Coordinates of all heavy atoms in Angstrom, one line a residue:
M36 N 0.8 -1.2 0.0 CA 0.0 0.0 0.0 C 0.9 1.2 0.0 O 1.8 1.3 0.8 CB -0.9 0.0 1.3 CG -2.1 -0.7 1.1 SD -3.1 -0.4 2.6 CE -4.2 -1.8 2.4
E37 N 0.5 2.1 -0.8 CA 1.3 3.4 -0.9 C 0.4 4.5 -0.6 O -0.8 4.4 -0.6 CB 1.9 3.5 -2.3 CG 2.9 2.5 -2.6 CD 3.6 2.7 -3.9 OE1 3.7 3.9 -4.3 OE2 4.0 1.8 -4.5
G38 N 1.0 5.6 -0.2 CA 0.3 6.8 0.0 C 0.0 7.0 1.5 O 0.3 6.1 2.4
F39 N -0.7 8.1 1.8 CA -1.0 8.5 3.2 C -1.9 7.6 3.8 O -1.7 7.1 5.0 CB -1.5 9.9 3.2 CG -1.7 10.5 4.5 CD1 -0.7 10.8 5.4 CD2 -3.0 10.7 5.0 CE1 -0.9 11.3 6.6 CE2 -3.3 11.2 6.3 CZ -2.2 11.5 7.1
I40 N -3.0 7.2 3.2 CA -4.1 6.4 3.7 C -3.5 5.0 4.0 O -3.7 4.3 5.0 CB -5.3 6.3 2.8 CG1 -5.9 7.7 2.6 CG2 -6.3 5.3 3.4 CD1 -6.4 8.3 3.9
G41 N -2.7 4.4 3.0 CA -2.1 3.1 3.2 C -1.1 3.1 4.4 O -1.1 2.1 5.2
S42 N -0.4 4.2 4.6 CA 0.5 4.3 5.7 C -0.3 4.3 7.0 O 0.2 3.7 8.0 CB 1.4 5.5 5.6 OG 2.2 5.5 4.5
L43 N -1.4 5.0 7.1 CA -2.2 5.0 8.3 C -2.8 3.7 8.6 O -2.8 3.2 9.8 CB -3.3 6.1 8.1 CG -2.9 7.5 8.1 CD1 -4.2 8.4 7.9 CD2 -2.2 7.9 9.4
I44 N -3.2 2.9 7.6 CA -3.8 1.6 7.8 C -2.7 0.7 8.3 O -2.9 -0.1 9.3 CB -4.4 1.1 6.5 CG1 -5.7 1.9 6.2 CG2 -4.8 -0.4 6.6 CD1 -6.3 1.6 4.8
I45 N -1.6 0.7 7.7 CA -0.5 -0.2 8.1 C 0.0 0.2 9.5 O 0.3 -0.7 10.3 CB 0.7 -0.2 7.0 CG1 0.2 -0.9 5.8 CG2 1.9 -0.9 7.6 CD1 1.1 -0.9 4.6
G46 N 0.2 1.5 9.7 CA 0.6 2.0 11.0 C -0.4 1.6 12.1 O 0.0 1.2 13.2
G47 N -1.7 1.7 11.8 CA -2.7 1.3 12.8 C -2.7 -0.2 13.1 O -2.7 -0.6 14.3
L48 N -2.5 -1.0 12.1 CA -2.4 -2.5 12.3 C -1.1 -2.8 13.1 O -1.2 -3.6 14.0 CB -2.4 -3.2 11.0 CG -3.7 -3.3 10.2 CD1 -3.5 -3.9 8.8 CD2 -4.7 -4.1 11.0
A49 N 0.0 -2.2 12.8 CA 1.2 -2.4 13.5 C 1.1 -2.0 14.9 O 1.6 -2.7 15.8 CB 2.4 -1.7 12.8
G50 N 0.6 -0.8 15.2 CA 0.4 -0.3 16.5 C -0.5 -1.2 17.3 O -0.3 -1.4 18.5
F51 N -1.6 -1.6 16.7 CA -2.6 -2.5 17.4 C -1.9 -3.8 17.8 O -2.1 -4.3 18.9 CB -3.8 -2.8 16.4 CG -4.7 -3.8 16.9 CD1 -5.7 -3.5 17.9 CD2 -4.7 -5.1 16.4 CE1 -6.5 -4.5 18.4 CE2 -5.6 -6.1 16.9 CZ -6.5 -5.8 17.9
L52 N -1.2 -4.4 16.8 CA -0.5 -5.7 17.1 C 0.5 -5.5 18.3 O 0.6 -6.3 19.2 CB 0.2 -6.2 15.9 CG -0.7 -6.8 14.8 CD1 0.1 -7.1 13.6 CD2 -1.5 -8.0 15.3
A53 N 1.3 -4.4 18.2 CA 2.3 -4.1 19.3 C 1.6 -4.0 20.6 O 2.1 -4.5 21.6 CB 3.1 -2.9 18.9
G54 N 0.5 -3.2 20.6 CA -0.2 -3.0 21.9 C -0.7 -4.3 22.5 O -0.7 -4.6 23.7
K55 N -1.2 -5.2 21.6 CA -1.7 -6.5 22.1 C -0.6 -7.4 22.5 O -0.7 -8.2 23.5 CB -2.5 -7.2 21.0 CG -3.8 -6.6 20.6 CD -4.7 -6.6 21.8 CE -6.1 -6.0 21.5 NZ -6.9 -5.9 22.6
L56 N 0.5 -7.4 21.8 CA 1.6 -8.3 22.2 C 2.4 -7.9 23.4 O 2.8 -8.7 24.2 CB 2.6 -8.4 21.0 CG 2.1 -9.1 19.7 CD1 3.1 -8.9 18.6 CD2 1.9 -10.6 20.0
I57 N 2.5 -6.6 23.6 CA 3.3 -6.1 24.8 C 2.5 -5.8 26.0 O 2.7 -6.3 27.0 CB 4.1 -4.8 24.4 CG1 5.2 -5.2 23.3 CG2 4.8 -4.2 25.6 CD1 6.3 -6.1 23.8
K58 N 1.5 -5.0 25.8 CA 0.8 -4.5 27.0 C -0.5 -5.3 27.2 O -1.1 -5.2 28.3 CB 0.5 -3.0 26.8 CG -0.1 -2.3 28.0 CD -0.2 -0.9 27.8 CE -0.7 -0.3 29.0 NZ -1.0 0.9 29.2
G59 N -1.0 -6.0 26.2 CA -2.3 -6.7 26.4 C -3.4 -5.8 25.9 O -4.5 -6.3 25.7
E60 N -3.2 -4.5 25.8 CA -4.2 -3.6 25.2 C -3.5 -2.5 24.6 O -2.4 -2.1 25.0 CB -5.2 -3.2 26.3 CG -4.5 -2.4 27.4 CD -5.5 -2.1 28.6 OE1 -6.0 -3.0 29.2 OE2 -5.7 -0.9 28.8
G61 N -4.2 -1.8 23.7 CA -3.5 -0.7 23.0 C -3.7 0.6 23.7 O -4.3 0.7 24.8
Y62 N -3.1 1.6 23.2 CA -3.2 3.0 23.8 C -4.3 3.8 23.2 O -4.6 4.9 23.6 CB -1.9 3.7 23.5 CG -0.7 3.3 24.4 CD1 0.3 2.6 23.8 CD2 -0.7 3.6 25.7 CE1 1.4 2.2 24.6 CE2 0.4 3.2 26.5 CZ 1.4 2.5 25.9 OH 2.5 2.1 26.7
G63 N -5.1 3.2 22.3 CA -6.1 3.9 21.6 C -5.8 4.0 20.1 O -4.6 3.9 19.7
C64 N -6.8 4.3 19.3 CA -6.6 4.3 17.9 C -5.6 5.3 17.4 O -4.7 4.9 16.6 CB -8.0 4.6 17.2 SG -7.9 4.6 15.4
V65 N -5.6 6.5 17.8 CA -4.7 7.5 17.3 C -3.2 7.2 17.7 O -2.3 7.2 16.9 CB -5.1 8.9 17.8 CG1 -4.0 10.0 17.4 CG2 -6.4 9.3 17.2
I66 N -3.1 6.8 19.0 CA -1.7 6.5 19.5 C -1.2 5.3 18.9 O 0.0 5.2 18.5 CB -1.7 6.4 21.1 CG1 -2.2 7.7 21.7 CG2 -0.4 6.0 21.6 CD1 -1.4 8.9 21.4
N67 N -2.1 4.3 18.6 CA -1.6 3.0 17.9 C -1.1 3.4 16.5 O -0.1 2.8 16.1 CB -2.8 2.0 17.9 CG -3.0 1.3 19.2 OD1 -2.2 1.4 20.1 ND2 -4.1 0.6 19.3
V68 N -1.8 4.2 15.8 CA -1.4 4.6 14.5 C 0.0 5.3 14.6 O 0.9 5.0 13.8 CB -2.4 5.5 13.8 CG1 -1.9 6.1 12.5 CG2 -3.7 4.7 13.5
L69 N 0.1 6.2 15.5 CA 1.4 6.9 15.6 C 2.5 6.0 16.0 O 3.6 6.1 15.5 CB 1.3 8.0 16.7 CG 0.4 9.2 16.3 CD1 0.2 10.2 17.4 CD2 0.9 9.9 15.1
L70 N 2.3 5.1 16.9 CA 3.3 4.1 17.3 C 3.7 3.2 16.1 O 4.8 2.9 15.9 CB 2.8 3.2 18.5 CG 2.7 3.8 19.8 CD1 2.1 2.8 20.8 CD2 4.0 4.3 20.3
G71 N 2.7 2.8 15.3 CA 3.0 2.0 14.1 C 3.8 2.8 13.1 O 4.7 2.3 12.5
L72 N 3.4 4.0 12.9 CA 4.2 4.9 11.9 C 5.6 5.1 12.4 O 6.6 5.0 11.6 CB 3.5 6.2 11.7 CG 2.1 6.1 10.9 CD1 1.4 7.4 10.9 CD2 2.3 5.6 9.5
F73 N 5.8 5.5 13.7 CA 7.1 5.7 14.2 C 7.9 4.4 14.3 O 9.1 4.4 14.0 CB 7.0 6.4 15.6 CG 6.6 7.8 15.5 CD1 5.6 8.3 16.4 CD2 7.2 8.7 14.6 CE1 5.2 9.6 16.3 CE2 6.8 10.1 14.6 CZ 5.8 10.5 15.5
G74 N 7.2 3.4 14.6 CA 7.8 2.1 14.6 C 8.3 1.6 13.3 O 9.4 1.1 13.2
S75 N 7.6 1.9 12.3 CA 8.0 1.5 10.9 C 9.3 2.3 10.5 O 10.2 1.7 10.0 CB 6.9 1.8 9.9 OG 5.8 1.0 10.1
A76 N 9.3 3.6 10.8 CA 10.4 4.4 10.5 C 11.6 4.0 11.4 O 12.8 3.9 10.8 CB 10.1 5.9 10.8
L77 N 11.4 3.7 12.6 CA 12.5 3.3 13.5 C 13.1 2.0 13.1 O 14.3 1.8 12.9 CB 12.0 3.2 15.0 CG 13.0 2.5 16.0 CD1 14.1 3.5 16.2 CD2 12.3 2.2 17.2
C78 N 12.2 1.0 12.8 CA 12.7 -0.3 12.4 C 13.4 -0.3 11.0 O 14.4 -1.0 10.8 CB 11.6 -1.3 12.4 SG 12.1 -2.9 12.8
G79 N 12.9 0.5 10.1 CA 13.5 0.6 8.8 C 14.9 1.2 8.9 O 15.8 0.8 8.3
W80 N 15.0 2.2 9.8 CA 16.4 2.8 10.0 C 17.3 1.8 10.7 O 18.5 1.7 10.3 CB 16.2 4.1 10.9 CG 17.4 4.7 11.3 CD1 18.3 5.4 10.5 CD2 18.0 4.7 12.6 NE1 19.3 5.9 11.2 CE2 19.2 5.5 12.5 CE3 17.7 4.2 13.8 CZ2 20.1 5.7 13.6 CZ3 18.5 4.4 14.9 CH2 19.7 5.1 14.8
L81 N 16.8 1.1 11.7 CA 17.6 0.1 12.4 C 18.0 -1.0 11.4 O 19.2 -1.5 11.5 CB 16.9 -0.5 13.6 CG 16.7 0.4 14.8 CD1 15.9 -0.3 15.9 CD2 18.1 0.7 15.4
F82 N 17.1 -1.5 10.6 CA 17.4 -2.5 9.6 C 18.5 -2.1 8.7 O 19.4 -2.9 8.3 CB 16.2 -3.0 8.9 CG 15.3 -3.9 9.6 CD1 15.4 -4.2 10.9 CD2 14.3 -4.6 8.9 CE1 14.6 -5.1 11.6 CE2 13.4 -5.4 9.6 CZ 13.6 -5.7 10.9
S83 N 18.5 -0.8 8.2 CA 19.5 -0.3 7.3 C 20.8 -0.2 8.0 O 21.9 -0.5 7.4 CB 19.1 1.0 6.7 OG 19.1 2.0 7.7
L84 N 20.9 0.2 9.3 CA 22.1 0.2 10.0 C 22.7 -1.2 10.2 O 24.0 -1.3 10.2 CB 21.9 0.8 11.4 CG 21.8 2.4 11.5 CD1 21.6 2.8 12.9 CD2 23.0 3.0 10.9
L85 N 21.9 -2.1 10.5 CA 22.4 -3.5 10.7 C 22.5 -4.3 9.4 O 22.8 -5.5 9.5 CB 21.4 -4.2 11.7 CG 21.3 -3.6 13.0 CD1 20.1 -4.3 13.8 CD2 22.6 -3.7 13.8
K86 N 22.3 -3.7 8.3 CA 22.4 -4.3 7.0 C 21.4 -5.5 6.8 O 21.8 -6.5 6.2 CB 23.8 -4.8 6.7 CG 24.9 -3.7 6.9 CD 25.1 -2.9 5.6 CE 26.4 -2.1 5.8 NZ 26.2 -0.7 5.8
I87 N 20.3 -5.4 7.4 CA 19.2 -6.4 7.3 C 18.3 -6.0 6.1 O 17.9 -4.9 6.1 CB 18.4 -6.5 8.6 CG1 19.3 -7.0 9.7 CG2 17.2 -7.5 8.4 CD1 18.6 -6.9 11.1
P88 N 18.1 -6.9 5.1 CA 17.3 -6.5 4.0 C 15.9 -6.2 4.4 O 15.3 -6.9 5.3 CB 17.4 -7.7 3.1 CG 17.9 -8.8 3.8 CD 18.6 -8.2 5.0
E89 N 15.3 -5.2 3.8 CA 13.9 -4.9 4.1 C 12.9 -6.0 3.6 O 13.2 -6.6 2.6 CB 13.5 -3.5 3.4 CG 14.2 -2.4 4.1 CD 13.7 -1.1 3.5 OE1 12.5 -1.0 3.2 OE2 14.5 -0.1 3.5
W90 N 11.9 -6.2 4.3 CA 10.9 -7.1 3.9 C 10.0 -6.5 2.9 O 9.7 -5.3 2.9 CB 10.0 -7.6 5.1 CG 10.8 -8.1 6.2 CD1 12.1 -8.6 6.2 CD2 10.4 -8.3 7.6 NE1 12.4 -9.1 7.4 CE2 11.4 -8.9 8.3 CE3 9.2 -7.9 8.2 CZ2 11.3 -9.1 9.7 CZ3 9.1 -8.2 9.6 CH2 10.1 -8.8 10.3
G91 N 9.5 -7.2 1.9 CA 8.7 -6.7 0.9 C 7.2 -6.9 1.1 O 6.8 -7.7 1.9
G92 N 6.4 -6.2 0.4 CA 5.0 -6.3 0.5 C 4.3 -5.8 1.7 O 5.0 -5.2 2.6
I93 N 3.0 -5.9 1.7 CA 2.2 -5.4 2.8 C 2.5 -6.1 4.2 O 2.7 -5.5 5.2 CB 0.7 -5.5 2.5 CG1 0.4 -4.5 1.4 CG2 -0.1 -5.1 3.7 CD1 -1.0 -4.7 0.9
L94 N 2.7 -7.4 4.1 CA 3.0 -8.2 5.3 C 4.3 -7.8 5.9 O 4.5 -7.7 7.1 CB 2.9 -9.7 5.1 CG 1.5 -10.2 4.8 CD1 1.6 -11.7 4.6 CD2 0.6 -9.9 6.0
G95 N 5.3 -7.5 5.0 CA 6.6 -7.1 5.4 C 6.5 -5.7 6.1 O 7.2 -5.5 7.1
Q96 N 5.7 -4.8 5.5 CA 5.6 -3.5 6.1 C 4.9 -3.6 7.5 O 5.3 -2.9 8.4 CB 4.8 -2.6 5.2 CG 5.5 -2.2 3.9 CD 4.6 -1.5 2.9 OE1 3.4 -1.4 3.1 NE2 5.2 -1.0 1.9
I97 N 3.9 -4.4 7.6 CA 3.2 -4.6 8.9 C 4.2 -5.2 9.9 O 4.2 -4.8 11.1 CB 1.9 -5.4 8.7 CG1 0.9 -4.6 7.9 CG2 1.4 -5.8 10.1 CD1 -0.3 -5.4 7.5
G98 N 4.9 -6.2 9.5 CA 5.9 -6.8 10.4 C 7.0 -5.9 10.8 O 7.3 -5.8 12.0
T99 N 7.5 -5.1 9.9 CA 8.5 -4.1 10.3 C 8.0 -3.1 11.2 O 8.6 -2.7 12.2 CB 9.1 -3.4 9.0 OG1 9.6 -4.4 8.1 CG2 10.1 -2.4 9.4
G100 N 6.8 -2.6 10.9 CA 6.1 -1.6 11.8 C 5.8 -2.1 13.2 O 6.0 -1.5 14.2
T101 N 5.4 -3.4 13.2 CA 5.1 -4.0 14.5 C 6.3 -4.2 15.3 O 6.3 -3.9 16.6 CB 4.4 -5.4 14.3 OG1 3.2 -5.2 13.5 CG2 4.1 -6.1 15.6
I102 N 7.4 -4.6 14.7 CA 8.7 -4.7 15.5 C 9.1 -3.4 16.1 O 9.5 -3.3 17.2 CB 9.8 -5.3 14.6 CG1 9.5 -6.8 14.3 CG2 11.2 -5.2 15.3 CD1 10.4 -7.4 13.3
G103 N 9.1 -2.4 15.2 CA 9.4 -1.0 15.7 C 8.5 -0.5 16.8 O 8.9 0.1 17.7
A104 N 7.2 -0.7 16.6 CA 6.2 -0.3 17.5 C 6.3 -1.0 18.9 O 6.2 -0.4 19.9 CB 4.8 -0.5 17.0
I105 N 6.7 -2.3 18.8 CA 7.0 -3.1 20.1 C 8.1 -2.4 20.8 O 8.1 -2.3 22.0 CB 7.3 -4.6 19.7 CG1 6.0 -5.3 19.4 CG2 7.9 -5.2 20.9 CD1 6.2 -6.7 18.8
I106 N 9.2 -2.1 20.1 CA 10.3 -1.4 20.8 C 9.8 -0.1 21.4 O 10.2 0.2 22.6 CB 11.4 -1.1 19.7 CG1 12.0 -2.4 19.3 CG2 12.5 -0.2 20.3 CD1 12.9 -2.3 18.0
I107 N 9.0 0.7 20.7 CA 8.5 2.0 21.3 C 7.6 1.7 22.4 O 7.7 2.4 23.4 CB 7.9 2.8 20.1 CG1 9.0 3.3 19.1 CG2 7.2 4.0 20.7 CD1 8.4 3.9 17.9
V108 N 6.7 0.8 22.3 CA 5.7 0.5 23.4 C 6.5 0.0 24.7 O 6.2 0.4 25.8 CB 4.7 -0.6 23.0 CG1 3.9 -1.1 24.2 CG2 3.7 0.0 22.0
Y109 N 7.5 -0.8 24.4 CA 8.3 -1.3 25.6 C 9.0 -0.1 26.3 O 9.0 -0.1 27.5 CB 9.3 -2.4 25.1 CG 10.2 -2.9 26.2 CD1 9.7 -3.8 27.1 CD2 11.5 -2.4 26.4 CE1 10.5 -4.2 28.2 CE2 12.3 -2.9 27.4 CZ 11.8 -3.8 28.3 OH 12.6 -4.2 29.3
I110 N 9.6 0.7 25.5 CA 10.3 1.9 26.1 C 9.3 2.8 26.8 O 9.6 3.2 27.9 CB 11.1 2.7 25.0 CG1 12.2 1.8 24.5 CG2 11.5 4.0 25.5 CD1 12.9 2.4 23.2
T111 N 8.2 3.1 26.2 CA 7.2 4.0 26.9 C 6.6 3.3 28.1 O 6.4 4.0 29.1 CB 6.1 4.4 26.0 OG1 5.4 3.2 25.4 CG2 6.6 5.2 24.8
S112 N 6.4 2.0 28.1 CA 5.9 1.3 29.3 C 7.0 1.3 30.4 O 6.6 1.4 31.6 CB 5.4 -0.1 29.0 OG 6.5 -0.9 28.7
F113 N 8.2 1.2 30.0 CA 9.3 1.2 31.0 C 9.4 2.6 31.6 O 9.6 2.8 32.8 CB 10.6 0.8 30.3 CG 11.8 0.9 31.2 CD1 12.0 -0.1 32.2 CD2 12.7 1.9 31.1 CE1 13.1 -0.1 33.0 CE2 13.8 1.9 32.0 CZ 14.0 0.9 32.9
L114 N 9.2 3.7 30.8 CA 9.4 5.0 31.3 C 8.2 5.5 32.2 O 8.3 6.3 33.0 CB 9.5 6.0 30.1 CG 10.8 5.9 29.3 CD1 10.8 6.8 28.1 CD2 12.0 6.2 30.2
R115 N 7.0 4.8 32.0 CA 5.8 5.2 32.7 C 5.9 4.6 34.1 O 5.1 5.1 35.0 CB 4.6 4.7 32.0 CG 4.3 5.4 30.7 CD 3.1 4.9 30.0 NE 1.9 5.5 30.6 CZ 0.7 5.1 30.3 NH1 0.5 4.1 29.5 NH2 -0.3 5.7 30.9
K116 N 6.7 3.7 34.4 CA 6.7 3.0 35.7 C 7.4 3.9 36.8 O 8.1 4.7 36.6 CB 7.4 1.7 35.7 CG 6.6 0.7 34.9 CD 7.3 -0.6 34.9 CE 6.5 -1.6 34.1 NZ 7.1 -2.9 34.1

């Protein structure tokens, strides 16, 4: 999926998955989308630094976003304690 709407959908799915996997519940729709978007950017950057090839397709984008969002959710839950 390309474009703004596609990024929002993928970011929302990635944030939702990260919220379910880490915390057991999400932070809400808007925060989940933001976590997914930032997670995608973070993980893409980390993958390029570590020379890990990017995953292709929609599932790859969701996977990358979920991994990055999990990192962000973990950090934010650690800081909230």
Side-chain angles (χ1 to χ4, degrees):
M36 271 187 202
E37 293 185 30
F39 184 71
I40 301 296
S42 295
L43 289 178
I44 292 170
I45 290 172
L48 288 172
F51 172 78
L52 290 172
K55 292 295 181 186
L56 291 171
I57 292 295
K58 191 174 181 183
E60 59 185 64
Y62 285 109
C64 183
V65 173
I66 301 300
N67 283 346
V68 170
L69 291 175
L70 288 175
L72 291 173
F73 288 131
S75 295
L77 171 71
C78 210
W80 177 71
L81 287 174
F82 280 11
S83 69
L84 281 180
L85 299 172
K86 307 272 192 247
I87 298 172
E89 291 187 31
W90 303 342
I93 293 173
L94 291 179
Q96 291 173 351
I97 292 171
T99 302
T101 302
I102 291 170
I105 286 172
I106 293 168
I107 293 173
V108 168
Y109 179 75
I110 290 169
T111 57
S112 67
F113 179 74
L114 294 174
R115 291 178 83 188
K116 290 181 181 183

